[in-house]
């Protein structure tokens, strides 16, 4: 069977044999599973290092959060942009274009992440100080960043990018297996590299375990794409890396909103660390723990929406308007209710959650406070990220970009500074809830107007033709 026929049958099977909820679950469940494994291995670094009971080492890991977001943003820049375009190409049965998209975006993801790692390495300690490292934290942060970011950015970005491509073609389970493999390996390898009974490298060992796990995950996903080459449009052939200006612009414009929200979040988190650093390393460690705890609801929301994005794009390109709307609103409800349930859990168990990472009482007290403040906004985040993904899926990058900027744009940093000056410094964390509330109100207004527009059906019909 040719790749074209096979792939067409695979995506059509989802729409023909399953209900809307079944389609979303089939794509989203493996994606959420891989996201949860990602959360677990993020937790593992902090939990294992936390048993050493040194806030400075926890703070070093906390300072890495902005770089984690940068890597995720870069992966989304190429992966989400290419994935949306690839799914729409498959919906139009344009299989050659789908192959060119995969090859072009993979080489771009590799090259841009390599440049980023080299830049960080050349900047050296200046880069780590820029992220908010104090002199006591600097030695630990230097060890962690070498393997986690300077050398680790390429395999980290590539593993996420390749999983995005597989998911866009309908191979959600296969995409998830690669990421899950990396997560499980990281959890297993951490103790050996961190503790004295192994290599005893401490926080640097945690970073090396992450680096090694991402390398293996990338090799697994690349091998998986090679194994399914007879029934897949995905390709790494250099001869296919030929895209015209309009196609490149479309990949970049669609991927930019996902990347921008991560880059803006990285800047926001960096500023947050700097604002809190003046109150002590234990406060920086505390906000790092709170951000780790909030990975759980945020990654579930991202998993659900990333699973639904290819379905929306494929339905849109195929001219299935009602199916597309049904997928969107079912995804919205699934994401909102899932995150609301998790928020209740985190509000009730903020202190036990903090104790998983460290036993220092002062750090735990601040971490529990930050968790309760930060997690309250995640049901709102579920709504905004789903609507944002919808506009990316249907190739409305300007709208997606505007919605991304509202959430983490020009108001974010001034609001944090204002809240910090007006009251106790912990109230800085309320800035996210305020911005998420504003973003959701605007998102709901925009999407309501979009579907109320009489020209929308005609637009879908023209796109299908």
């Amino acid at each position: 069977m040719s790749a074209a026929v096979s792939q067409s049958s695979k995506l059509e099977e989802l729409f023909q044999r399953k209900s809307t909820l079944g389609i979303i679950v089939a794509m989203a469940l493996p994606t959420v599973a891989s996201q949860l494994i990602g959360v677990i291995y993020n937790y593992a670094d902090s939990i294992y290092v936390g048993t050493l009971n040194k806030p400075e080492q926890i703070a070093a890991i906390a300072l890495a959060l902005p770089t984690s977001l940068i890597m995720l943003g870069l992966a989304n820049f190429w992966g989400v942009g290419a994935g949306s375009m690839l799914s729409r190409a498959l919906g139009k049965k344009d299989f050659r274009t789908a192959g060119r998209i995969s090859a072009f975006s993979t080489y771009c993801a590799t090259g841009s992440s390599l440049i980023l790692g080299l830049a960080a390495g050349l900047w050296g300690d200046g880069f780590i100080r820029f992220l908010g490292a104090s002199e006591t934290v600097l030695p630990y942060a230097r060890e962690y960043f070498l393997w986690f970011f300077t050398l680790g950015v390429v395999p980290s970005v590539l593993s996420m990018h390749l999983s995005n491509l597989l998911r866009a073609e309908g191979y959600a389970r296969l995409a998830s297996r690669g990421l899950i493999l990396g997560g499980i390996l990281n959890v297993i390898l951490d103790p050996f590299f961190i503790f004295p009974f192994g290599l005893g490298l401490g926080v640097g060992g945690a970073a090396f375990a992450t680096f090694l796990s991402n390398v293996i995950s990338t090799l697994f996903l690349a091998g998986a794409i090679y194994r399914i080459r007879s029934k897949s449009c995905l390709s790494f052939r250099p001869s296919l890396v030929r895209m015209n200006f309009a196609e490149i612009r479309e990949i970049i414009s669609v991927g930019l909103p996902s990347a921008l929200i991560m880059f803006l979040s990285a800047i926001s988190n960096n500023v947050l660390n700097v604002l809190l650093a003046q109150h002590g390393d234990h406060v920086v460690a505390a906000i790092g723990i709170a951000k780790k705890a909030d990975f759980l609801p945020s990654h579930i929301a991202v998993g659900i929406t990333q699973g639904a994005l290819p379905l929306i794009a494929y339905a849109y390109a195929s001219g299935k308007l009602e199916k597309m709307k049904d997928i969107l609103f079912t995804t919205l409800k699934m994401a909102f209710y899932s995150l609301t349930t998790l928020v209740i859990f985190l509000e009730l168990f903020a202190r036990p959650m903090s104790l998983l990472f460290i036993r220092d009482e002062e750090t735990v007290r601040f971490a529990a406070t930050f968790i309760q403040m930060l997690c309250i906004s995640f049901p709102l985040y579920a709504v905004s990220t789903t609507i944002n993904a919808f506009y990316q899926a249907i190739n409305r990058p300007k709208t997606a970009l505007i919605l991304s900027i509202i959430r983490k744009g020009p108001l974010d940093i001034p609001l944090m500074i204002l809240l910090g000056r007006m009251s106790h410094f912990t109230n800085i964390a309320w800035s996210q809830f305020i911005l998420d509330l504003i973003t959701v109100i605007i998102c709901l207004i925009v999407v309501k107007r979009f579907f109320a527009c009489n020209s929308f059906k005609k637009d879908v019909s023209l796109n299908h033709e």
Side-chain angles (χ1 to χ4, degrees):
M1 184 178 290
S2 69
V5 174
S6 175
Q7 182 57 39
S8 177
S9 299
K10 183 175 181 62
L11 286 178
E12 280 298 321
E13 182 182 350
L14 286 173
F15 285 87
Q16 292 174 0
R17 296 191 178 184
K18 294 180 181 292
S19 64
T20 298
L21 181 60
I23 296 171
I24 297 171
V25 169
M27 288 291 287
L29 194 58
T31 311
V32 170
S34 64
Q35 292 286 331
L36 289 178
I37 292 295
V39 171
I40 290 170
Y41 90 70
N42 268 289
Y43 282 6
D45 281 359
S46 295
I47 291 172
Y48 285 133
V49 173
T51 61
L52 303 175
N53 215 32
K54 295 180 179 180
E56 295 85 2
Q57 295 200 31
I58 291 292
I61 296 177
L63 293 175
L65 178 59
T67 58
S68 297
L69 295 171
I70 288 171
M71 290 189 289
L72 181 57
L74 188 58
N76 285 346
F77 182 72
W78 297 112
V80 173
S84 172
M85 189 176 176
L86 193 151
S87 294
R88 281 184 276 112
L90 293 175
K92 298 176 182 178
K93 304 192 185 306
D94 186 356
F95 304 107
R96 179 165 178 78
T97 295
R100 290 191 297 111
I101 292 167
S102 64
F104 174 81
S105 61
T106 299
Y107 284 105
C108 287
T110 304
S112 55
S113 57
L114 182 61
I115 292 170
L116 188 60
L118 288 172
L122 290 173
W123 194 353
D125 285 357
F127 175 62
I128 302 170
R129 286 192 175 94
F130 173 75
L131 294 173
S134 66
E135 290 305 313
T136 55
V137 172
L138 182 62
Y140 301 109
R142 187 186 296 125
E143 293 178 35
Y144 194 78
F145 276 84
L146 173 63
W147 291 106
F148 181 78
F149 190 72
T150 305
L151 299 176
V153 61
V154 173
S156 178
V157 169
L158 268 183
S159 63
M160 291 185 283
H161 173 74
L162 295 179
S163 69
N164 272 327
L165 292 182
L166 282 165
R167 193 180 304 116
E169 201 181 20
Y171 292 98
R173 290 185 180 180
L174 192 54
S176 300
R177 285 172 192 163
L179 297 180
I180 290 171
L181 172 64
I184 292 174
L185 281 174
N186 193 70
V187 173
I188 293 172
L189 293 174
D190 259 347
F192 176 76
F193 289 113
I194 294 171
F195 298 125
F197 66 76
L199 295 182
L201 299 176
V203 71
F208 184 74
T210 300
F211 166 78
L212 188 59
S213 301
N214 282 331
V215 168
I216 294 172
S217 176
T218 300
L219 292 175
F220 174 89
L221 290 167
I225 291 174
Y226 179 78
R227 288 193 302 274
I228 64 170
R229 64 191 183 281
S230 63
K231 53 183 179 180
S232 168
C233 295
L234 302 182
S235 175
F236 304 138
R237 293 203 301 272
S239 61
L240 290 177
V241 186
R242 294 193 305 271
M243 304 285 286
N244 60 45
F245 178 76
E247 291 171 329
I248 294 172
R249 184 178 61 184
E250 183 174 338
I251 290 175
I252 291 174
S253 62
V254 173
L256 183 59
S258 283
L260 185 63
I261 191 65
M262 293 303 164
F263 294 150
L264 292 175
S265 295
I267 295 170
S268 174
N269 277 280
N270 186 48
V271 171
L272 181 60
N273 285 334
V274 171
L275 290 173
L276 294 177
Q278 59 186 303
H279 301 286
D281 291 338
H282 62 284
V283 177
V284 177
I287 194 64
I289 290 170
K291 291 289 185 179
K292 291 279 186 181
D294 282 341
F295 273 4
L296 184 60
S298 64
H299 277 56
I300 288 177
V302 169
I304 292 171
T305 55
Q306 284 189 355
L309 190 150
L311 299 172
I312 294 171
Y314 187 84
Y316 173 73
S318 301
K320 299 178 173 70
L321 172 59
E322 292 304 318
K323 194 68 172 178
M324 182 199 71
K325 290 172 66 176
D326 200 16
I327 291 171
L328 169 62
F329 292 118
T330 303
T331 304
L332 273 171
K333 289 186 284 187
M334 181 188 296
F336 181 82
Y337 292 138
S338 298
L339 264 66
T340 299
T341 302
L342 277 170
V343 166
I344 295 171
F345 172 82
L346 288 173
E347 288 289 338
L348 292 174
F349 298 101
R351 179 177 171 80
M353 192 81 173
S354 304
L355 286 169
L356 287 174
F357 297 95
I358 198 168
R359 294 288 173 173
D360 180 75
E361 181 55 38
E362 193 171 14
T363 304
V364 167
R365 179 166 57 87
F366 281 114
T369 300
F370 284 135
I371 288 172
Q372 290 175 326
M373 296 168 71
L374 290 173
C375 74
I376 198 71
S377 68
F378 274 95
L380 301 174
Y381 174 72
V383 174
S384 64
T385 194
T386 302
I387 293 175
N388 195 288
F390 166 72
Y391 281 106
Q392 290 174 292
I394 64 169
N395 195 23
R396 294 293 188 280
K398 290 182 180 178
T399 304
L401 183 63
I402 292 170
L403 296 177
S404 297
I405 292 173
I406 292 170
R407 185 174 186 267
K408 283 290 184 184
L411 291 177
D412 186 32
I413 293 173
L415 186 57
M416 284 194 293
I417 295 172
L418 180 63
L419 289 171
R421 289 180 177 178
M422 286 177 57
S423 55
H424 194 264
F425 68 86
T426 54
N427 288 323
I428 292 173
W430 283 119
S431 62
Q432 191 54 67
F433 174 78
I434 296 170
L435 292 173
D436 274 326
L437 183 60
I438 294 170
T439 305
V440 164
I441 292 171
I442 294 173
C443 281
L444 292 175
I445 292 172
V446 169
V447 81
K448 182 179 179 180
R449 289 182 176 179
F450 181 79
F451 282 112
C453 179
N454 291 328
S455 63
F456 179 63
K457 290 187 178 180
K458 180 180 178 181
D459 176 66
V460 174
S461 177
L462 290 172
N463 177 76
H464 181 48
E465 293 172 3

